[in-house]
Amino acid sequence: MANKNIALITGVTGQDGSYLSEFLLKKGYDVHGTIRRSSVDFRERIAHLEGLPNFHLHYVDMSDSMSIIQVLRKVRPTEIYNLAAQSHVQVSFDSPEYTADVDAVGVLRILEGVRQCGLEDTCRIYQASTSELYGKVEEVPQNENTPFHPYSPYAVAKLYGFWIVKEYREAYNMYCCSGILFNHESERRGETFVTRKISLAAARIKQGKQEKLYLGNLSSLRDWGYAKDYVECMWLILQQEKPEDFVIATGVQHSVRDFCYYAFKRVGIELEFTGEGIDEKGIDKATGRVLIEVSKDFYRPTDVVNLWGDPTKARAKLGWNPNTTGFQELVNLMVDHDMAKVAGEGAAEKVRMNLAEFLEKGIVK
Ligand code: NAP
Ligand code: F7E
């Protein structure tokens, strides 16, 4: 059909890919998502979309140019949202080469693939960039002009992605841009990111299904937003007249400790923190029970500890409201979701509990 909007979302099975699919389907797009073959089915975030006439899935791996070219030729998208990535910062220290291949060279594969398929004048490209580029921060809060200082293999790979997008924009006049998104969370957040690890633990501890929560740096500061609000920005960034990069953030900063406090408060437990560094503990004020301890296993060789975004440009140019969902509302909706999830865990409970134990002991991070 002429003039039909056709979106290609890499990483459609991820947190953002699933929300963005819903958003674009509602706007009438044909949505094509890329998935990877896996021995077990991890498509729960998009299961409710499968079977819809405008929703299509294709096997693509970001380390495989041929699969990328094949899907570009077949789909001929008008918009590409490149969300696929090895997105876990701590894991990037264990798999630095793979992270570079997928998160850095993968971006190049998309850009060059678009050119080689002759789509450079008809297809706009959004690159999922990150506040991790600011890393060992050189100013607070961070905006589009703040210097980058990446501080993990993940961030270094994403920095290449950012610059190669800029290069293709300037060298070939392509409509490609980066959203520099600060942390955004949701009920669909991966379970080893700190917010989800906390919301699930609060629910499990409340329901007597977990003893304790082990975390790393409790003083780390983040600007946490709601993923559902952020995918709208990805779309808005591609609807501008000129391609430009944008910082997407709430402008509000909290510590990991704050997140714990409000998550446990939501389940009726008031925490009190005592001690410092590795000796810090989160104690149930009512019973004196230690619920949170610090474990070295969750410290990173280099950690980014002071992220705070300035969304002024996004507010002014995109007309986006950075504060649709506030911090406490975000914590509450994640915890409420996980209270219900944990309560409903039946037959799968034993398997889940094993994972919780592994997480607790630091065997799985
Ligand atoms: P996520 O939940 O980890 O999803 C990542 C997606 O990438 C999944 O669909 C995953 O597929 C796919 N993927 C990973 N490696 C791949 C490969 N080699 N080939 C093809 N697909 C691959 O991440 P997210 O939170 O939705 O984040 C989306 C993007 O935004 C990522 O690029 C991330 O780095 C970036 N970002 C996220 C945040 C945030 O706070 N969430 C902030 C800034 C930037 P499987 O399901 O098969 O693993
Ligand atoms: O860590 C500290 C940890 O893993 C946040 C990704 O989406 O956002 C995400 O990366 C902070 C760090 O997210 C634990 O040291 C303490 O300082 O939830 P996280 P992240 O590293 O900020 C950015 C913007 C992205 O681009 C990434 O793709 O929390 N922390 N204790 C812990 N973190 C984890 N995971 N687990 C802990 O036990």
Side-chain angles (χ1 to χ4, degrees):
M1 198 198 298
N3 297 328
K4 175 89 182 147
N5 287 319
I6 304 167
L8 177 67
I9 303 176
T10 68
V12 77
T13 53
Q15 169 188 260
D16 293 2
S18 63
Y19 285 123
L20 181 63
S21 297
E22 289 166 7
F23 179 86
L24 294 175
L25 285 167
K26 276 191 204 140
K27 289 215 167 283
Y29 278 66
D30 261 350
V31 175
H32 294 256
T34 75
I35 54 170
R36 296 191 288 174
R37 196 264 158 187
S38 162
S39 64
V40 279
D41 193 3
F42 275 122
R43 286 194 253 166
E44 64 177 54
R45 294 189 182 105
I46 53 164
H48 58 298
L49 303 177
E50 290 188 53
L52 292 180
N54 293 345
F55 187 68
H56 318 272
L57 296 175
H58 309 264
Y59 283 103
V60 169
D61 196 295
M62 294 304 290
S63 61
D64 175 5
S65 301
M66 283 185 263
S67 66
I68 293 175
I69 298 272
Q70 184 162 272
V71 78
L72 290 173
R73 278 216 185 102
K74 196 165 157 194
V75 171
R76 302 192 68 78
T78 57
E79 291 175 10
I80 297 175
Y81 295 87
N82 185 35
L83 310 187
Q86 190 303 92
S87 72
H88 204 283
V89 174
Q90 186 155 6
V91 170
S92 77
F93 289 96
D94 298 329
S95 295
E97 184 183 352
Y98 172 71
T99 302
D101 192 15
V102 172
D103 297 11
V105 186
V107 186
L108 174 66
R109 292 185 182 109
I110 292 278
L111 293 164
E112 195 48 37
V114 164
R115 260 167 45 81
Q116 291 189 14
C117 291
L119 298 170
E120 66 270 41
D121 295 330
T122 54
C123 179
R124 297 182 168 201
I125 304 163
Y126 170 87
Q127 166 58 17
S129 194
T130 167
S131 51
E132 290 291 308
L133 298 189
Y134 300 119
K136 191 176 181 187
V137 300
E138 299 194 2
E139 80 185 12
V140 181
Q142 297 92 35
N143 62 32
E144 289 80 1
N145 300 316
T146 302
F148 297 137
H149 189 145
Y151 214 37
S152 67
Y154 168 80
V156 174
K158 283 281 186 178
L159 186 66
Y160 176 88
F162 178 87
W163 280 109
I164 199 71
V165 162
K166 204 166 154 54
E167 178 58 25
Y168 271 59
R169 185 161 76 213
E170 288 171 18
Y172 304 120
N173 205 22
M174 281 167 63
Y175 194 116
C176 43
C177 27
S178 295
I180 305 173
L181 270 57
F182 281 63
N183 297 53
H184 43 283
E185 318 295 312
S186 74
E187 312 88 306
R188 297 184 195 170
R189 184 58 145 152
E191 296 184 11
T192 59
F193 293 97
V194 78
T195 57
R196 191 75 199 287
K197 187 172 161 185
I198 297 167
S199 65
L200 274 165
R204 292 201 176 107
I205 289 173
K206 177 68 183 178
Q207 296 180 35
K209 293 175 175 174
Q210 186 173 332
E211 281 295 310
K212 231 178 243 183
L213 168 64
Y214 290 92
L215 293 170
N217 184 1
L218 297 176
S219 300
S220 189
L221 297 164
R222 286 292 183 275
D223 178 328
W224 279 298
Y226 187 30
K228 222 174 176 172
D229 299 338
Y230 281 37
V231 297
E232 184 193 2
C233 281
M234 299 177 184
W235 177 76
L236 284 170
I237 288 172
L238 290 195
Q239 311 314 309
Q240 303 305 296
E241 209 179 309
K242 282 194 329 218
E244 277 183 66
D245 305 323
F246 286 86
V247 160
I248 305 299
T250 68
V252 181
Q253 195 188 45
H254 286 277
S255 65
V256 171
R257 190 180 298 103
D258 288 344
F259 200 101
C260 291
Y261 179 83
Y262 288 109
F264 279 79
K265 185 166 181 233
R266 185 66 175 176
V267 301
I269 298 172
E270 190 172 359
L271 288 178
E272 190 172 44
F273 288 88
T274 62
E276 270 180 36
I278 198 82
D279 297 321
E280 185 166 356
K281 293 185 189 346
I283 297 169
D284 180 347
K285 221 172 162 181
T287 64
R289 212 179 116 201
V290 176
L291 300 183
I292 299 177
E293 285 199 44
V294 174
S295 161
K296 272 201 180 126
D297 288 339
F298 301 108
Y299 275 77
R300 298 170 183 183
T302 47
D303 196 15
V304 171
V305 294
N306 195 3
L307 290 180
W308 183 9
D310 173 0
T312 305
K313 180 178 173 187
R315 196 199 302 264
K317 284 203 166 176
L318 303 177
W320 179 68
N321 174 9
N323 305 115
T324 306
T325 310
F327 176 73
Q328 286 197 27
E329 196 183 343
L330 171 65
V331 175
N332 291 350
L333 64 87
M334 288 177 72
V335 172
D336 292 353
H337 172 273
D338 286 338
M339 280 297 278
K341 178 182 163 74
V342 170
E345 279 167 352
E349 179 68 8
K350 245 186 139 161
V351 181
R352 303 286 321 142
M353 284 303 291
N354 284 342
L355 176 59
E357 270 172 43
F358 279 137
L359 285 169
E360 230 179 278
K361 291 178 182 151
I363 297 165
V364 176
K365 289 167 190 158

